[in-house]
Amino acid sequence: MKIKNLWLAICTTLLLCACDETTSTLGIELVPESDMVSISWENYNVELNTIIADSVLARTSTSHLGNYTDPETGTTVHGDYLMQLNCGAGFEFPDSIQNNICTSAYLNLYFNSFVGDSLAPCRVSVYPLNKVMDNSKSYYTDINPEDYYDTSASPLAVTTFTLSDRTISDEERNGGAYFKNVRIKLPVEEGNKMLKKYKQNPEYFKNGKLFTEKVNPGYFVKFEKGDGVMMDIYISQLNVSFKYFEKSSTGRLDSLVNGTSTFAGTEEVIQATAVKKYNLEKLLSDNEAAYIKSPSSLFTEVTLPISEIATTDTINSAKLIFDRYNSSKSNENYILPAPTYLLMVQKDKMYEFFEEYKIPDSNTSYMATFSAANNNYAFDNISHLISQIRKEHQEGMSRNPNWEKENPNWNKVVLIPVSPILSTSTSSNSYYSYYGGGSNSQSTLVGMNHDLSLTSARLKKNGIKLQVIYSKFKK
């Protein structure tokens, strides 16, 4: 009985296999051979070169202060900055300030990150601005600070410091209430002038625009001495202190207490970094590497082999990977980090991209993130960009036989270090909440600025390939 059942099972299996063998290609057999799609790919050489931009748009609330000589390349970048101060809506000085005078005025420069030696001695000076920067204008890193302050006047203040503040105790420096900053004592008259203006015209303190135009145009912070240090100043803050009489619950003036009014540099007012750079030209002749350095405005230009790419087939994808050399000075203490994000944009559109507040659209502009594991930047599919450039070329040549000569950058893109601006929204989800997941957070890219922090990357020039995958119908 068992043998009979076993034989039946074998026959059934063979029958099913025969059916599968018969029907597995049934759909394909019904498709005409002319409708079959073939896939192919080609690798094309890509040319890389280093270019120096004269300046970049400095539209950011972060300022950069310091002087740093890169031990790997011997290039130097120097940063000073001009700052405006904001006055929040509804600002008021207390009406019971003792003797109507201030007791002190300090400018605090807060920084989260820096590159270099925290014990290196540095010196900065502060000058008052005598000209108001126009909030409707775009300021680039080649801004000339001398246009905005009196160069013949002495500075308001000069301060010598180290980034690791040795004037305070280790306990205070390592405490949770301490924020890294450079503290610059200003003449108390800076506070008294503001207090006097408030007494005369309190309406000047209604908003930042009126405040900068009528009360305080801002300051120029100049890095005077030191090398091997660059700070990213995320907020500049003027603190004006005084003593005032606090009112009791009955409305009578009671005890004398200390008070401080704060005026900070924010995104609503201008923070303009002025960048100077030295010894960059020697990097242009490097035959093995193309360079990207910020805030030095050193970018990599990529010439795409548009004319070599087949026009008869459909481009499914086009991939570009840029490999980075490891630092040749790995034993140095202060090697610059690679940019976290790179923007790829057509060379002739690189300035308008930032001026017009654009973001990468994966059509004519793309963003790649540095992969520490692979030590490279990968642009996984720039096929839309290639199609767009090819279309522009064809249309241009049909109108004007000299179009290509008149547009020498038609097939060139540029790699630029950028700093994305993200908006984070949080939404509550009952499903996730029920299972202990809480709320959902989602980040959306809403803007893009030049990365003006201190970064550097050496990209391999040789062996860089554009991998294009084609598809076409069989004939």
Side-chain angles (χ1 to χ4, degrees), residues 214-372:
K214 303 292 187 179
V215 181
N216 189 328
Y219 300 99
F220 172 51
V221 183
K222 184 178 183 180
F223 193 85
E224 296 275 15
K225 185 178 180 181
D227 190 24
V229 169
M230 183 67 73
M231 295 169 279
D232 297 339
I233 310 292
Y234 67 89
I235 192 166
S236 304
Q237 182 174 291
L238 174 63
N239 293 323
V240 176
S241 298
F242 42 79
K243 293 181 181 293
Y244 72 101
F245 291 95
E246 195 171 40
K247 291 182 179 181
S248 67
S249 57
T250 60
R252 296 179 59 186
L253 296 180
D254 194 359
S255 54
L256 187 65
V257 296
N258 294 316
T260 299
S261 290
T262 297
F263 305 88
T266 64
E267 291 182 354
E268 289 77 18
V269 290
I270 297 171
Q271 317 294 311
T273 299
V275 175
K276 297 176 183 177
K277 48 220 179 182
Y278 308 94
N279 302 323
L280 296 181
E281 288 74 13
K282 63 183 181 180
L283 302 183
L284 303 181
S285 58
D286 192 326
N287 294 322
E288 295 184 353
Y291 291 83
I292 295 173
K293 296 178 78 67
S294 66
S296 302
S297 311
L298 207 64
F299 306 146
T300 291
E301 174 192 271
V302 182
T303 302
L304 298 173
I306 304 297
S307 299
E308 301 175 35
I309 297 174
T311 59
T312 56
D313 301 338
T314 301
I315 300 176
N316 282 8
S317 71
K319 186 173 185 177
L320 258 178
I321 296 177
F322 299 98
D323 295 314
R324 169 180 171 265
Y325 283 113
N326 288 321
S327 173
S328 59
K329 301 283 186 179
S330 56
N331 59 330
E332 296 284 346
N333 292 325
Y334 308 114
I335 296 302
L336 299 181
T340 303
Y341 303 100
L342 288 186
L343 170 74
M344 176 187 287
V345 65
Q346 288 174 270
K347 186 176 181 180
D348 284 342
K349 298 177 182 178
M350 58 184 280
Y351 287 103
E352 70 178 56
F353 180 90
F354 295 96
E355 289 173 351
E356 297 178 3
Y357 298 87
K358 294 182 179 180
I359 60 175
D361 59 7
S362 298
N363 186 38
T364 59
S365 55
Y366 300 79
M367 187 174 71
T369 304
F370 176 65
S371 169

Side-chain angles (χ1 to χ4, degrees), residues 134-158:
D134 186 353
N135 224 311
S136 65
K137 283 182 61 177
S138 296
Y139 289 92
Y140 281 75
T141 52
D142 62 352
I143 184 174
N144 184 7
E146 295 184 359
D147 294 339
Y148 296 90
Y149 77 100
D150 184 357
T151 58
S152 64
S154 299
L156 278 178
V158 178

Side-chain angles (χ1 to χ4, degrees), residues 20-162:
D20 181 65
E21 200 172 328
T22 305
T23 60
S24 61
T25 59
L26 181 59
I28 296 176
E29 289 176 353
L30 294 175
V31 177
E33 188 174 350
S34 60
D35 288 345
M36 298 290 287
V37 176
S38 64
I39 304 295
S40 62
W41 64 87
E42 293 287 345
N43 290 324
Y44 302 94
N45 291 324
V46 173
E47 181 183 339
L48 273 62
N49 288 294
T50 306
I51 61 172
I52 304 175
D54 54 359
S55 61
V56 297
L57 186 61
R59 187 194 291 125
T60 171
S61 59
T62 301
S63 304
H64 305 274
L65 181 68
N67 193 87
Y68 191 88
T69 300
D70 182 1
E72 184 175 27
T73 61
T75 59
T76 299
V77 61
H78 180 99
D80 305 313
Y81 73 100
L82 301 97
M83 53 174 288
Q84 289 181 334
L85 298 170
N86 196 14
C87 184
F91 171 84
E92 291 181 343
F93 275 116
D95 57 9
S96 56
I97 294 178
Q98 187 182 38
N99 300 323
N100 286 321
I101 59 171
C102 297
T103 56
S104 68
Y106 281 90
L107 189 62
N108 291 75
L109 315 179
Y110 290 93
F111 59 95
N112 266 334
S113 58
F114 68 92
V115 175
D117 185 355
S118 65
L119 297 178
C122 305
R123 186 172 72 208
V124 296
S125 58
V126 178
Y127 295 83
L129 301 187
N130 58 12
K131 179 181 177 182
V132 177
M133 292 185 287
D134 186 353
N135 224 311
S136 65
K137 283 182 61 177
S138 296
Y139 289 92
Y140 281 75
T141 52
D142 62 352
I143 184 174
N144 184 7
E146 295 184 359
D147 294 339
Y148 296 90
Y149 77 100
D150 184 357
T151 58
S152 64
S154 299
L156 278 178
V158 178
T159 296
T160 301
F161 64 97
T162 61

